[in-house]
C-alpha cells in the first residue's frame, strides 16, 4: 500500500475526533474535507503532518495517522527533513509553500501536488530569494501542476514565481447559496455592530479595527465589534482597554461555522481588514459575508480588492490605515440607501468571485492520476 503524506496547517486528529462525535464544524466544509482525506485511507497509508499547537503522533483509524509538529520543527531543516525521510511518502499533497518539504520532494522524486491559498510577492530581497527556490521546487517532473486558491493568488504564481499558465490550476471551494432576502438599512445611524472572523493577529488588521472604533467614538459614533477566532486575545483586549473602547469590543474565540454565519447575518457590517503582508488567497469569510448579504468593508489587499467593485459590491479602505477605515464605516453608518444597495448586490458580487476547480475534485483526481496520464491538468489550468 502506497504512503500518502498530506502536509498542512491544523490538527487533523483533533478535527477527526471532534467531527466523528457529531460536534459542529469550525469552518465551512470542514467535515467534507476531513472525510475526503479519511476516505483515501482505503487505498493508501495516509499520514497528515500538521503544523499545530499539539505535538502528537497517533493512528485515528486504520491506515489513517495524524502527526502534529510545532513551528520550530516545521521550519527547521535539521528537524523536518529527517522527519520527512522517516515518514517516507510515496506521494505528497503539500498545502503550503513550504521551503523545505517541496525541495525535498523534488530531490527525492516524490510525486507531489502543491495546493496553496497564498498570494506571492517580491517586495524584499528575502522574498525574491525564497521565490527562486520555490520556483525550482515547483518546476520538477514530480509535480503535475501547482494549484492555488482563486484568481489573484493563482496569477501571482505566474507574475511573481514565473510559472507558466499551463502548470497553474486554480482551485475554489464549493459555491455558497446566498440568503434569499436582502437586508434593510440598519436601525441606527450612530450605532453599528460589526463582525470579524479569522485569525486575531496584527497582520489581519485587528489593531486597525480597534483604532477605527476609537476614532469613531471621538465623533460620537459607536462601532461595536465582535471578533471570532484565535490569537492572543488577552493582549488585544488590553489594547481595547487602552483605547477606551473595551465596552464595545468582544473577543469570542473560535465559534462553530454555523454560528459565524448567523452572526454575519445579524451584524450591520462584516470586516475583512487584512494588511498586505498577510499572504492569503481569497478569504472564506469574504464569501460568507456576501452570502449573508451584510455590507462588507474590505481592505485593498491584492488578493481580493480587484475582484470587487468599490461602492457597488463593498466598501474599501487603504490597508493599515485606521483613519480611512473609520471614514468608510462612518459613511456607511449614515447612508441607509448604500447599506441597502450593497445587500441587494451581494449575490452578484459573490458569483463574481467564483474561479477555479472544486478542491474536492482536484484532490480526488490527483489521487487517481498523480502523473496526469489522463490530461486533467490541461482541462483545468489557466492556459
Amino acid at each position: 500500500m502506497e504512503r500518502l503524506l498530506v502536509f498542512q496547517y491544523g490538527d487533523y486528529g483533533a478535527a477527526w475526533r471532534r467531527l466523528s462525535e457529531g460536534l459542529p464544524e469550525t469552518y465551512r466544509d470542514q467535515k467534507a474535507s476531513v472525510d475526503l482525506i479519511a476516505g483515501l485511507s482505503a487505498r493508501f497509508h495516509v499520514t497528515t503532518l500538521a503544523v499545530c499547537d499539539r505535538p502528537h503522533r497517533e493512528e485515528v483509524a486504520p491506515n489513517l495517522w495524524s502527526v502534529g509538529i510545532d513551528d520550530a520543527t516545521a521550519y527547521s531543516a535539521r528537524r523536518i527533513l529527517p522527519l520527512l525521510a522517516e515518514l517516507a511518502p510515496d506521494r505528497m499533497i503539500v498545502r503550503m509553500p513550504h521551503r523545505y518539504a517541496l525541495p525535498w520532494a523534488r530531490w527525492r522524486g516524490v510525486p507531489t501536488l502543491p495546493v496553496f491559498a497564498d498570494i506571492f510577492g517580491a517586495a524584499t530581497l528575502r522574498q525574491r530569494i525564497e521565490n527562486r527556490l520555490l520556483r525550482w521546487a515547483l518546476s520538477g517532473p514530480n509535480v503535475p501542476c501547482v494549484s492555488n486558491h482563486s484568481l489573484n493568488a493563482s496569477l501571482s504564481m505566474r507574475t511573481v514565481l514565473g510559472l507558466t499558465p499551463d502548470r497553474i490550476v486554480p482551485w475554489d471551494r464549493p459555491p455558497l447559496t446566498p440568503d434569499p432576502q436582502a437586508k434593510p438599512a440598519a436601525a441606527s445611524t450612530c450605532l453599528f455592530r460589526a463582525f470579524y472572523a479569522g485569525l486575531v493577529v496584527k497582520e489581519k488588521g485587528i489593531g486597525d479595527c480597534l483604532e477605527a472604533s476609537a476614532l469613531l467614538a471621538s465623533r460620537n459614533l459607536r462601532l461595536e465589534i465582535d471578533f471570532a477566532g484565535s490569537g492572543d486575545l488577552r493582549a488585544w483586549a488590553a489594547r481595547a482597554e487602552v483605547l477606551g473602547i473595551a465596552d464595545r469590543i468582544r473577543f469570542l474565540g473560535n465559534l462553530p461555522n454555523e454560528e459565524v454565519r448567523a452572526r454575519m447575518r445579524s451584524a450591520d457590517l462584516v470586516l475583512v481588514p487584512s494588511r498586505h503582508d498577510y499572504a492569503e488567497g481569497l478569504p472564506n469569510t469574504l464569501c460568507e459575508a456576501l452570502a449573508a448579504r451584510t455590507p462588507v468593508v474590505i481592505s485593498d489587499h491584492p488578493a481580493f480588492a480587484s475582484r470587487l467593485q468599490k461602492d457597488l459590491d463593498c466598501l474599501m479602505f487603504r490597508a493599515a490605515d485606521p483613519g480611512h477605515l473609520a471614514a468608510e464605516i462612518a459613511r456607511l453608518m449614515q447612508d441607509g440607501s448604500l447599506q441597502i444597495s450593497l445587500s441587494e448586490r451581494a449575490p452578484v458580487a459573490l458569483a463574481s468571485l467564483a474561479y477555479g476547480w472544486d478542491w474536492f475534485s482536484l484532490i480526488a483526481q490527483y489521487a487517481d492520476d498523480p502523473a496526469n496520464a489522463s490530461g486533467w491538468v490541461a482541462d483545468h489550468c489557466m492556459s
Side-chain angles (χ1 to χ4, degrees), residues 167-195:
R167 288 186 57 79
I168 301 171
V169 173
W171 68 267
D172 205 353
R173 300 179 179 90
L176 282 166
T177 301
D179 194 284
Q181 298 297 323
K183 295 178 62 171
S188 172
T189 60
C190 60
L191 167 62
F192 252 43
R193 294 173 301 108
F195 185 75

Side-chain angles (χ1 to χ4, degrees), residues 195 264 268-273 285-299 304 308-317 325 328-329 332 338-339 342-343 346 349:
F195 185 75
M264 284 183 174
D268 297 309
L269 68 92
V270 176
L271 293 161
V272 186
T285 51
L286 175 55
C287 297
E288 290 181 318
L290 291 170
R293 303 188 71 165
T294 296
V296 182
V297 181
I298 70 171
S299 73
F304 49 80
L308 296 175
Q309 300 180 66
K310 180 180 178 181
D311 292 345
L312 185 63
D313 301 323
C314 63
L315 296 187
M316 192 180 303
F317 72 98
L325 172 57
E328 290 298 294
I329 293 173
L332 181 65
L338 178 59
Q339 298 168 34
L342 290 173
S343 182

Side-chain angles (χ1 to χ4, degrees), residues 47-128:
T47 299
T48 297
L49 177 60
V51 184
C52 63
D53 295 330
R54 185 178 70 99
H56 65 276
R57 183 180 296 208
E58 59 194 23
E59 187 175 21
V60 298
N63 295 322
L64 182 62
W65 285 76
S66 176
V67 177
I69 57 175
D70 57 17
D71 282 317
T73 299
Y75 292 99
S76 165
R78 182 175 59 85
R79 298 179 183 179
I80 190 64
L81 295 180
L83 178 57
L84 292 172
E86 177 191 346
L87 295 173
D90 298 299
R91 69 175 73 174
M92 297 172 64
I93 298 171
V94 181
R95 302 186 63 183
M96 64 188 83
H98 197 272
R99 67 174 69 104
Y100 300 126
L102 290 164
W104 180 89
R106 177 167 183 177
W107 290 327
R108 295 294 185 96
V110 179
T112 300
L113 176 66
V115 185
F116 304 148
D118 300 79
I119 193 163
F120 295 93
T124 68
L125 177 60
R126 180 174 179 176
Q127 283 179 317
R128 292 192 290 273

Side-chain angles (χ1 to χ4, degrees), residues 197-224:
L199 289 175
V200 184
V201 296
K202 176 182 177 181
E203 295 80 6
K204 291 284 280 184
I206 304 305
D208 304 323
C209 295
L210 297 181
E211 291 187 33
S213 180
L215 289 170
L216 290 167
S218 69
R219 298 173 55 180
N220 294 318
L221 297 174
R222 185 179 179 93
L223 178 68
E224 299 179 353

